[in-house]
């Protein structure tokens, strides 16, 4: 489960916006996170705190297939909600243990700064600021296991 304040972005946020290509020469999660969203929101990295939530529009994470983008997001944010995700971004996010939920109604209604809570078992998203609830498809148990263990490779160690 997750709970936190929201940072909201629009449609077609591509991987070069999430982490500009000039920083792709590092594998350091901390270094990538320190530049997350800087080309469209210079203050994001100074305002975001561990446990915050990102909300995006349609086609979030389009662009390159590198894992750098979800890695850059995972360090400061605990969850990502969007109308839809680029398929490779979705797969990479799950592979590194970043929970992401597709929910068009929540993406539309949730505003920047709202406090949102999510129940991963049921897929219920609650905007605690305005009282609205939304239903996303809950993660199946095997994906919950991947996320709980911090990513695909960690989930295979048992």
């Amino acid at each position: 489960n997750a709970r936190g304040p929201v940072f909201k972005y629009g449609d077609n946020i591509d991987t070069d916006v999430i982490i500009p290509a000039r920083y792709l020469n590092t594998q350091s999660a901390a270094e990538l996170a320190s530049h997350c969203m800087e080309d469209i929101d210079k203050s994001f990295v100074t305002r975001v705190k561990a446990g915050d939530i990102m909300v995006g529009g349609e086609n979030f994470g389009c662009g390159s297939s590198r894992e750098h983008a979800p890695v850059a997001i995972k360090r400061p944010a605990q969850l990502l909600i969007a109308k839809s995700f680029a398929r490779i971004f979705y797969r990479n996010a799950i592979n590194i243990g970043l929970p992401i939920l597709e929910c068009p109604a929540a993406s539309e209604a949730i505003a920047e700064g709202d406090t949102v809570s999510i129940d991963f078992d049921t897929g219920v998203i609650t905007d605690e600021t305005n009282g609205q609830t939304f239903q996303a498809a809950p993660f199946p148990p095997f994906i919950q296991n991947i996320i709980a263990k911090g990513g695909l490779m960690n989930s295979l160690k048992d």
Side-chain angles (χ1 to χ4, degrees):
N1 296 340
R3 181 180 184 274
V6 167
F7 289 84
K8 189 164 184 179
Y9 300 98
D11 295 340
N12 301 308
I13 299 297
D14 68 47
T15 55
D16 283 335
V17 168
I18 297 167
I19 183 66
R22 63 189 173 272
Y23 301 114
L24 296 179
N25 60 347
T26 183
Q27 294 295 315
S28 164
E31 179 69 16
L32 291 169
S34 73
H35 298 289
C36 187
M37 308 304 279
E38 76 178 25
D39 285 353
I40 63 166
D41 183 355
K42 292 213 180 295
S43 69
F44 174 75
V45 296
T46 61
R47 296 182 297 132
V48 69
K49 293 176 180 53
D52 289 353
I53 295 169
M54 290 178 75
V55 174
E58 292 183 25
N59 201 28
F60 192 96
C62 56
S64 78
S65 61
R66 295 180 202 96
E67 285 186 348
H68 294 74
V71 167
I73 291 171
K74 183 181 178 186
R75 182 113 179 163
Q78 67 173 324
L79 174 80
L80 181 54
I81 301 167
K83 287 183 186 178
S84 65
F85 294 95
R87 292 295 95 188
I88 192 70
F89 180 88
Y90 186 92
R91 183 73 174 263
N92 284 339
I94 297 300
N95 283 347
I96 65 146
L98 173 65
I100 60 177
L101 295 173
E102 287 186 334
C103 187
S107 173
E108 285 285 330
I110 295 170
E112 173 98 10
D114 285 2
T115 297
V116 172
S117 61
I118 296 90
D119 184 323
F120 292 134
D121 292 332
T122 64
V124 173
I125 300 167
T126 303
D127 186 330
E128 296 178 2
T129 303
N130 65 28
Q132 290 183 283
T133 59
F134 309 94
Q135 183 66 58
F139 292 119
F142 80 96
I143 291 181
Q144 287 188 35
N145 181 56
I146 291 169
I147 291 169
K149 292 187 176 173
L152 180 62
M153 297 310 290
N154 288 337
S155 75
L156 299 174
K157 291 179 181 175
D158 291 343

